[in-house]
mmCIF file of all heavy atoms in Angstrom:
data_model
loop_
_atom_site.group_PDB
_atom_site.id
_atom_site.type_symbol
_atom_site.label_atom_id
_atom_site.label_comp_id
_atom_site.label_asym_id
_atom_site.label_seq_id
_atom_site.Cartn_x
_atom_site.Cartn_y
_atom_site.Cartn_z
ATOM 1 N N ALA A 142 7.093 9.792 -13.606
ATOM 2 C CA ALA A 142 5.872 9.435 -14.325
ATOM 3 C C ALA A 142 4.690 10.342 -14.000
ATOM 4 O O ALA A 142 3.618 10.187 -14.592
ATOM 5 C CB ALA A 142 5.507 7.992 -14.001
ATOM 6 N N LEU A 143 4.845 11.298 -13.087
ATOM 7 C CA LEU A 143 3.702 12.096 -12.635
ATOM 8 C C LEU A 143 3.010 12.868 -13.751
ATOM 9 O O LEU A 143 1.817 13.115 -13.674
ATOM 10 C CB LEU A 143 4.132 13.052 -11.513
ATOM 11 C CG LEU A 143 4.448 12.395 -10.183
ATOM 12 C CD1 LEU A 143 4.978 13.419 -9.181
ATOM 13 C CD2 LEU A 143 3.241 11.660 -9.621
ATOM 14 N N GLY A 144 3.734 13.248 -14.765
ATOM 15 C CA GLY A 144 3.130 13.992 -15.872
ATOM 16 C C GLY A 144 2.431 13.121 -16.891
ATOM 17 O O GLY A 144 1.741 13.631 -17.778
ATOM 18 N N MET A 145 2.571 11.821 -16.785
ATOM 19 C CA MET A 145 1.963 10.913 -17.752
ATOM 20 C C MET A 145 0.465 10.805 -17.516
ATOM 21 O O MET A 145 -0.018 10.930 -16.390
ATOM 22 C CB MET A 145 2.632 9.548 -17.671
ATOM 23 C CG MET A 145 4.125 9.607 -17.980
ATOM 24 S SD MET A 145 4.933 8.040 -17.681
ATOM 25 C CE MET A 145 4.756 7.321 -19.306
ATOM 26 N N SER A 146 -0.263 10.554 -18.579
ATOM 27 C CA SER A 146 -1.720 10.518 -18.492
ATOM 28 C C SER A 146 -2.221 9.468 -17.507
ATOM 29 O O SER A 146 -3.184 9.695 -16.775
ATOM 30 C CB SER A 146 -2.339 10.303 -19.873
ATOM 31 O OG SER A 146 -1.917 9.063 -20.405
ATOM 32 N N GLY A 147 -1.562 8.306 -17.450
ATOM 33 C CA GLY A 147 -1.989 7.262 -16.517
ATOM 34 C C GLY A 147 -1.844 7.693 -15.070
ATOM 35 O O GLY A 147 -2.705 7.410 -14.236
ATOM 36 N N ALA A 148 -0.748 8.377 -14.762
ATOM 37 C CA ALA A 148 -0.526 8.858 -13.396
ATOM 38 C C ALA A 148 -1.530 9.943 -13.032
ATOM 39 O O ALA A 148 -2.028 9.997 -11.899
ATOM 40 C CB ALA A 148 0.902 9.376 -13.240
ATOM 41 N N GLN A 149 -1.825 10.803 -13.975
ATOM 42 C CA GLN A 149 -2.809 11.862 -13.728
ATOM 43 C C GLN A 149 -4.205 11.274 -13.548
ATOM 44 O O GLN A 149 -4.971 11.729 -12.692
ATOM 45 C CB GLN A 149 -2.767 12.880 -14.849
ATOM 46 C CG GLN A 149 -1.468 13.669 -14.858
ATOM 47 C CD GLN A 149 -1.334 14.596 -16.055
ATOM 48 O OE1 GLN A 149 -2.155 14.588 -16.969
ATOM 49 N NE2 GLN A 149 -0.275 15.393 -16.049
ATOM 50 N N ALA A 150 -4.524 10.252 -14.321
ATOM 51 C CA ALA A 150 -5.829 9.594 -14.178
ATOM 52 C C ALA A 150 -5.932 8.904 -12.807
ATOM 53 O O ALA A 150 -6.975 8.962 -12.161
ATOM 54 C CB ALA A 150 -6.042 8.587 -15.299
ATOM 55 N N PHE A 151 -4.836 8.279 -12.372
ATOM 56 C CA PHE A 151 -4.851 7.635 -11.059
ATOM 57 C C PHE A 151 -5.051 8.677 -9.961
ATOM 58 O O PHE A 151 -5.833 8.464 -9.026
ATOM 59 C CB PHE A 151 -3.562 6.835 -10.805
ATOM 60 C CG PHE A 151 -3.526 6.215 -9.444
ATOM 61 C CD1 PHE A 151 -4.437 5.227 -9.087
ATOM 62 C CD2 PHE A 151 -2.608 6.637 -8.500
ATOM 63 C CE1 PHE A 151 -4.419 4.655 -7.816
ATOM 64 C CE2 PHE A 151 -2.584 6.076 -7.227
ATOM 65 C CZ PHE A 151 -3.490 5.091 -6.890
ATOM 66 N N ARG A 152 -4.384 9.812 -10.071
ATOM 67 C CA ARG A 152 -4.559 10.872 -9.069
ATOM 68 C C ARG A 152 -6.008 11.346 -9.032
ATOM 69 O O ARG A 152 -6.577 11.575 -7.963
ATOM 70 C CB ARG A 152 -3.598 12.041 -9.367
ATOM 71 C CG ARG A 152 -3.803 13.266 -8.479
ATOM 72 C CD ARG A 152 -3.686 12.892 -6.990
ATOM 73 N NE ARG A 152 -4.260 13.900 -6.147
ATOM 74 C CZ ARG A 152 -3.569 14.680 -5.338
ATOM 75 N NH1 ARG A 152 -2.271 14.565 -5.238
ATOM 76 N NH2 ARG A 152 -4.179 15.573 -4.613
ATOM 77 N N ARG A 153 -6.633 11.461 -10.195
ATOM 78 C CA ARG A 153 -8.059 11.840 -10.224
ATOM 79 C C ARG A 153 -8.918 10.771 -9.547
ATOM 80 O O ARG A 153 -9.887 11.100 -8.860
ATOM 81 C CB ARG A 153 -8.521 12.083 -11.662
ATOM 82 C CG ARG A 153 -8.007 13.392 -12.253
ATOM 83 C CD ARG A 153 -8.694 13.746 -13.569
ATOM 84 N NE ARG A 153 -8.476 12.757 -14.612
ATOM 85 C CZ ARG A 153 -7.422 12.738 -15.438
ATOM 86 N NH1 ARG A 153 -6.480 13.647 -15.331
ATOM 87 N NH2 ARG A 153 -7.327 11.801 -16.363
ATOM 88 N N ARG A 154 -8.535 9.509 -9.712
ATOM 89 C CA ARG A 154 -9.280 8.437 -9.040
ATOM 90 C C ARG A 154 -9.127 8.537 -7.519
ATOM 91 O O ARG A 154 -10.081 8.302 -6.785
ATOM 92 C CB ARG A 154 -8.827 7.067 -9.544
ATOM 93 C CG ARG A 154 -9.354 6.756 -10.912
ATOM 94 C CD ARG A 154 -9.018 5.355 -11.404
ATOM 95 N NE ARG A 154 -9.367 5.272 -12.801
ATOM 96 C CZ ARG A 154 -8.514 5.504 -13.808
ATOM 97 N NH1 ARG A 154 -7.239 5.765 -13.556
ATOM 98 N NH2 ARG A 154 -8.930 5.443 -15.048
ATOM 99 N N LEU A 155 -7.920 8.865 -7.070
ATOM 100 C CA LEU A 155 -7.729 9.077 -5.627
ATOM 101 C C LEU A 155 -8.612 10.219 -5.139
ATOM 102 O O LEU A 155 -9.277 10.099 -4.106
ATOM 103 C CB LEU A 155 -6.261 9.384 -5.318
ATOM 104 C CG LEU A 155 -5.266 8.240 -5.388
ATOM 105 C CD1 LEU A 155 -3.844 8.764 -5.162
ATOM 106 C CD2 LEU A 155 -5.601 7.153 -4.384
ATOM 107 N N ASP A 156 -8.610 11.330 -5.868
ATOM 108 C CA ASP A 156 -9.433 12.486 -5.484
ATOM 109 C C ASP A 156 -10.921 12.133 -5.495
ATOM 110 O O ASP A 156 -11.688 12.655 -4.687
ATOM 111 C CB ASP A 156 -9.175 13.667 -6.424
ATOM 112 C CG ASP A 156 -7.810 14.294 -6.215
ATOM 113 O OD1 ASP A 156 -7.261 14.197 -5.088
ATOM 114 O OD2 ASP A 156 -7.278 14.885 -7.179
ATOM 115 N N GLY A 157 -11.321 11.243 -6.393
ATOM 116 C CA GLY A 157 -12.714 10.813 -6.453
ATOM 117 C C GLY A 157 -13.090 9.853 -5.345
ATOM 118 O O GLY A 157 -14.259 9.742 -4.974
ATOM 119 N N ALA A 158 -12.113 9.156 -4.807
ATOM 120 C CA ALA A 158 -12.375 8.135 -3.791
ATOM 121 C C ALA A 158 -12.254 8.646 -2.353
ATOM 122 O O ALA A 158 -12.821 8.051 -1.442
ATOM 123 C CB ALA A 158 -11.430 6.951 -3.995
ATOM 124 N N PHE A 159 -11.493 9.746 -2.153
ATOM 125 C CA PHE A 159 -11.230 10.251 -0.802
ATOM 126 C C PHE A 159 -11.464 11.755 -0.723
ATOM 127 O O PHE A 159 -11.201 12.485 -1.676
ATOM 128 C CB PHE A 159 -9.777 9.952 -0.383
ATOM 129 C CG PHE A 159 -9.482 8.487 -0.265
ATOM 130 C CD1 PHE A 159 -9.004 7.774 -1.352
ATOM 131 C CD2 PHE A 159 -9.709 7.818 0.928
ATOM 132 C CE1 PHE A 159 -8.743 6.415 -1.254
ATOM 133 C CE2 PHE A 159 -9.451 6.464 1.031
ATOM 134 C CZ PHE A 159 -8.971 5.754 -0.064
ATOM 135 N N ASP A 160 -11.939 12.220 0.441
ATOM 136 C CA ASP A 160 -12.130 13.655 0.660
ATOM 137 C C ASP A 160 -10.806 14.394 0.762
ATOM 138 O O ASP A 160 -10.723 15.564 0.417
ATOM 139 C CB ASP A 160 -12.920 13.906 1.952
ATOM 140 C CG ASP A 160 -14.414 13.741 1.759
ATOM 141 O OD1 ASP A 160 -14.892 13.837 0.619
ATOM 142 O OD2 ASP A 160 -15.103 13.492 2.769
ATOM 143 N N GLU A 161 -9.786 13.714 1.295
ATOM 144 C CA GLU A 161 -8.488 14.357 1.494
ATOM 145 C C GLU A 161 -7.399 13.487 0.871
ATOM 146 O O GLU A 161 -7.299 12.298 1.182
ATOM 147 C CB GLU A 161 -8.206 14.526 2.988
ATOM 148 C CG GLU A 161 -6.858 15.147 3.284
ATOM 149 C CD GLU A 161 -6.600 15.269 4.770
ATOM 150 O OE1 GLU A 161 -6.377 14.235 5.431
ATOM 151 O OE2 GLU A 161 -6.641 16.404 5.268
ATOM 152 N N VAL A 162 -6.610 14.094 -0.012
ATOM 153 C CA VAL A 162 -5.450 13.427 -0.601
ATOM 154 C C VAL A 162 -4.280 14.393 -0.491
ATOM 155 O O VAL A 162 -4.272 15.441 -1.128
ATOM 156 C CB VAL A 162 -5.677 13.050 -2.079
ATOM 157 C CG1 VAL A 162 -4.434 12.359 -2.648
ATOM 158 C CG2 VAL A 162 -6.907 12.160 -2.240
ATOM 159 N N LEU A 163 -3.328 14.045 0.361
ATOM 160 C CA LEU A 163 -2.147 14.876 0.555
ATOM 161 C C LEU A 163 -0.974 14.249 -0.193
ATOM 162 O O LEU A 163 -0.813 13.023 -0.191
ATOM 163 C CB LEU A 163 -1.803 14.993 2.037
ATOM 164 C CG LEU A 163 -2.902 15.542 2.939
ATOM 165 C CD1 LEU A 163 -2.481 15.475 4.394
ATOM 166 C CD2 LEU A 163 -3.243 16.961 2.537
ATOM 167 N N THR A 164 -0.140 15.089 -0.793
ATOM 168 C CA THR A 164 1.037 14.616 -1.518
ATOM 169 C C THR A 164 2.282 15.053 -0.766
ATOM 170 O O THR A 164 2.428 16.230 -0.429
ATOM 171 C CB THR A 164 1.065 15.204 -2.945
ATOM 172 O OG1 THR A 164 -0.171 14.897 -3.596
ATOM 173 C CG2 THR A 164 2.212 14.625 -3.755
ATOM 174 N N SER A 165 3.179 14.114 -0.522
ATOM 175 C CA SER A 165 4.416 14.415 0.201
ATOM 176 C C SER A 165 5.395 15.163 -0.697
ATOM 177 O O SER A 165 5.207 15.259 -1.913
ATOM 178 C CB SER A 165 5.086 13.120 0.673
ATOM 179 O OG SER A 165 5.690 12.456 -0.428
ATOM 180 N N ARG A 166 6.436 15.647 -0.082
ATOM 181 C CA ARG A 166 7.572 16.133 -0.851
ATOM 182 C C ARG A 166 8.194 14.923 -1.548
ATOM 183 O O ARG A 166 7.949 13.778 -1.167
ATOM 184 C CB ARG A 166 8.604 16.770 0.066
ATOM 185 C CG ARG A 166 8.124 18.039 0.709
ATOM 186 C CD ARG A 166 9.211 18.628 1.559
ATOM 187 N NE ARG A 166 8.740 19.861 2.161
ATOM 188 C CZ ARG A 166 9.356 20.490 3.122
ATOM 189 N NH1 ARG A 166 10.489 20.013 3.605
ATOM 190 N NH2 ARG A 166 8.869 21.601 3.608
ATOM 191 N N THR A 167 9.027 15.168 -2.501
ATOM 192 C CA THR A 167 9.694 14.081 -3.200
ATOM 193 C C THR A 167 10.659 13.360 -2.266
ATOM 194 O O THR A 167 11.435 13.989 -1.558
ATOM 195 C CB THR A 167 10.453 14.620 -4.424
ATOM 196 O OG1 THR A 167 9.507 15.238 -5.305
ATOM 197 C CG2 THR A 167 11.187 13.509 -5.165
ATOM 198 N N VAL A 168 10.571 12.055 -2.264
ATOM 199 C CA VAL A 168 11.520 11.224 -1.534
ATOM 200 C C VAL A 168 12.634 10.911 -2.533
ATOM 201 O O VAL A 168 12.512 10.012 -3.367
ATOM 202 C CB VAL A 168 10.861 9.928 -1.006
ATOM 203 C CG1 VAL A 168 11.884 9.059 -0.282
ATOM 204 C CG2 VAL A 168 9.681 10.254 -0.097
ATOM 205 N N TRP A 169 13.688 11.704 -2.471
ATOM 206 C CA TRP A 169 14.789 11.577 -3.424
ATOM 207 C C TRP A 169 15.619 10.329 -3.177
ATOM 208 O O TRP A 169 16.226 9.801 -4.108
ATOM 209 C CB TRP A 169 15.680 12.824 -3.380
ATOM 210 C CG TRP A 169 14.982 14.038 -3.899
ATOM 211 C CD1 TRP A 169 14.497 15.078 -3.154
ATOM 212 C CD2 TRP A 169 14.649 14.333 -5.256
ATOM 213 N NE1 TRP A 169 13.881 16.001 -3.967
ATOM 214 C CE2 TRP A 169 13.976 15.575 -5.266
ATOM 215 C CE3 TRP A 169 14.849 13.668 -6.463
ATOM 216 C CZ2 TRP A 169 13.497 16.158 -6.443
ATOM 217 C CZ3 TRP A 169 14.390 14.257 -7.632
ATOM 218 C CH2 TRP A 169 13.723 15.486 -7.608
ATOM 219 N N ARG A 170 15.633 9.868 -1.941
ATOM 220 C CA ARG A 170 16.460 8.706 -1.611
ATOM 221 C C ARG A 170 15.672 7.417 -1.828
ATOM 222 O O ARG A 170 15.460 6.615 -0.920
ATOM 223 C CB ARG A 170 16.979 8.830 -0.188
ATOM 224 C CG ARG A 170 17.945 10.020 -0.078
ATOM 225 C CD ARG A 170 18.414 10.266 1.302
ATOM 226 N NE ARG A 170 19.469 9.313 1.637
ATOM 227 C CZ ARG A 170 20.109 9.315 2.776
ATOM 228 N NH1 ARG A 170 19.811 10.196 3.713
ATOM 229 N NH2 ARG A 170 21.045 8.420 3.017
ATOM 230 N N ASN A 171 15.202 7.256 -3.051
ATOM 231 C CA ASN A 171 14.509 6.064 -3.511
ATOM 232 C C ASN A 171 14.853 5.915 -4.987
ATOM 233 O O ASN A 171 15.097 6.909 -5.672
ATOM 234 C CB ASN A 171 12.991 6.201 -3.330
ATOM 235 C CG ASN A 171 12.277 4.896 -3.548
ATOM 236 O OD1 ASN A 171 12.401 3.964 -2.758
ATOM 237 N ND2 ASN A 171 11.537 4.800 -4.644
ATOM 238 N N VAL A 172 14.854 4.704 -5.492
ATOM 239 C CA VAL A 172 15.126 4.459 -6.914
ATOM 240 C C VAL A 172 13.885 3.856 -7.533
ATOM 241 O O VAL A 172 13.510 2.733 -7.204
ATOM 242 C CB VAL A 172 16.327 3.496 -7.097
ATOM 243 C CG1 VAL A 172 16.550 3.195 -8.566
ATOM 244 C CG2 VAL A 172 17.583 4.061 -6.464
ATOM 245 N N PRO A 173 13.208 4.610 -8.414
ATOM 246 C CA PRO A 173 13.384 6.033 -8.690
ATOM 247 C C PRO A 173 12.739 6.892 -7.590
ATOM 248 O O PRO A 173 11.968 6.382 -6.782
ATOM 249 C CB PRO A 173 12.674 6.225 -10.028
ATOM 250 C CG PRO A 173 11.729 5.092 -10.164
ATOM 251 C CD PRO A 173 12.234 3.980 -9.291
ATOM 252 N N PRO A 174 13.049 8.199 -7.562
ATOM 253 C CA PRO A 174 12.415 9.086 -6.582
ATOM 254 C C PRO A 174 10.884 9.004 -6.672
ATOM 255 O O PRO A 174 10.330 8.773 -7.760
ATOM 256 C CB PRO A 174 12.923 10.476 -6.983
ATOM 257 C CG PRO A 174 14.228 10.194 -7.662
ATOM 258 C CD PRO A 174 14.003 8.912 -8.410
ATOM 259 N N ALA A 175 10.234 9.196 -5.535
ATOM 260 C CA ALA A 175 8.783 9.018 -5.477
ATOM 261 C C ALA A 175 8.143 10.051 -4.563
ATOM 262 O O ALA A 175 8.816 10.703 -3.763
ATOM 263 C CB ALA A 175 8.456 7.616 -4.978
ATOM 264 N N ARG A 176 6.832 10.151 -4.692
ATOM 265 C CA ARG A 176 6.009 10.945 -3.776
ATOM 266 C C ARG A 176 4.952 10.028 -3.186
ATOM 267 O O ARG A 176 4.475 9.111 -3.836
ATOM 268 C CB ARG A 176 5.344 12.109 -4.503
ATOM 269 C CG ARG A 176 6.334 13.172 -4.903
ATOM 270 C CD ARG A 176 5.642 14.414 -5.375
ATOM 271 N NE ARG A 176 6.647 15.404 -5.744
ATOM 272 C CZ ARG A 176 6.411 16.395 -6.564
ATOM 273 N NH1 ARG A 176 5.224 16.547 -7.100
ATOM 274 N NH2 ARG A 176 7.374 17.249 -6.848
ATOM 275 N N VAL A 177 4.583 10.329 -1.958
ATOM 276 C CA VAL A 177 3.596 9.522 -1.242
ATOM 277 C C VAL A 177 2.266 10.260 -1.218
ATOM 278 O O VAL A 177 2.214 11.458 -0.934
ATOM 279 C CB VAL A 177 4.071 9.231 0.198
ATOM 280 C CG1 VAL A 177 2.996 8.514 1.007
ATOM 281 C CG2 VAL A 177 5.361 8.422 0.168
ATOM 282 N N TYR A 178 1.196 9.527 -1.507
ATOM 283 C CA TYR A 178 -0.161 10.051 -1.364
ATOM 284 C C TYR A 178 -0.725 9.504 -0.048
ATOM 285 O O TYR A 178 -0.718 8.296 0.175
ATOM 286 C CB TYR A 178 -1.065 9.582 -2.502
ATOM 287 C CG TYR A 178 -0.664 10.068 -3.876
ATOM 288 C CD1 TYR A 178 -0.450 9.168 -4.907
ATOM 289 C CD2 TYR A 178 -0.551 11.421 -4.141
ATOM 290 C CE1 TYR A 178 -0.113 9.607 -6.171
ATOM 291 C CE2 TYR A 178 -0.204 11.867 -5.418
ATOM 292 C CZ TYR A 178 0.009 10.967 -6.424
ATOM 293 O OH TYR A 178 0.340 11.390 -7.683
#
Side-chain angles (χ1 to χ4, degrees):
L143 289 175
M145 300 173 91
S146 61
Q149 292 174 354
F151 177 65
R152 174 56 198 248
R153 286 191 299 274
R154 285 185 190 93
L155 286 175
D156 289 334
F159 295 91
D160 279 338
E161 178 181 71
V162 180
L163 303 174
T164 305
S165 74
R166 293 182 179 168
T167 300
V168 178
W169 292 106
R170 294 176 79 178
N171 191 69
V172 177
R176 290 191 180 158
V177 174
Y178 296 125

